[in-house]
Amino acid sequence: MDRTEASPQEAFADAVQAGANHLESVDFDMLNKPELRAQARSAAVRTARAKAELHADAAGVQLGPVIHIDDVDPESIGAGRYRGHSDPGTVSEADLAPGAVVVSAAVVLGFSISHS
């Protein structure tokens, strides 16, 4: 069996058979993460623009073109990649059960503005 298709349980069983007796941590990830991250980035830009338009309207100004884009890596600011089933700070067998791998994106957009 290709190891990319092995279930976590199969991978752990293989590791124990090979002599492993201590597990430090487990990370779950996705093979198509770059494509999902691109979709998340596009959505983040649309959301940032919508918020900026709302703020500009409330302030009585016109939103101009984008003058600054800062791509924020959500994994570097602590956004979790895997949502387990136990409470934060605890360890449970349920943490190795299927859950959800979170693929997110964040962006900071700077716009020019003009007064109407």
Side-chain angles (χ1 to χ4, degrees):
M1 176 185 294
D2 183 327
R3 286 293 116 211
T4 60
E5 296 176 9
S7 72
Q9 293 81 2
E10 291 169 324
F12 298 139
D14 289 349
V16 169
Q17 276 188 332
N21 61 8
H22 179 77
L23 180 63
E24 188 68 31
S25 68
V26 176
D27 287 327
F28 293 89
D29 214 338
M30 302 180 71
L31 295 175
N32 63 338
K33 192 172 187 177
E35 294 86 13
L36 295 172
R37 178 81 73 213
Q39 292 174 14
R41 284 185 175 119
S42 292
V45 169
R46 286 190 303 274
T47 299
R49 179 177 290 280
K51 286 181 181 180
E53 289 170 349
L54 179 69
H55 292 178
D57 185 51
V61 296
Q62 291 289 323
L63 195 64
V66 174
I67 58 173
H68 173 82
I69 300 175
D70 187 13
D71 184 50
V72 181
D73 178 8
E75 291 179 12
S76 70
I77 58 173
R81 294 187 330 176
Y82 175 75
R83 296 191 183 202
H85 301 284
S86 65
D87 294 325
T90 65
V91 178
S92 164
E93 285 183 23
D95 288 335
L96 300 179
V101 176
V102 177
V103 179
S104 59
V107 65
V108 176
L109 298 181
F111 293 89
S112 65
I113 56 171
S114 62
H115 298 276
S116 301

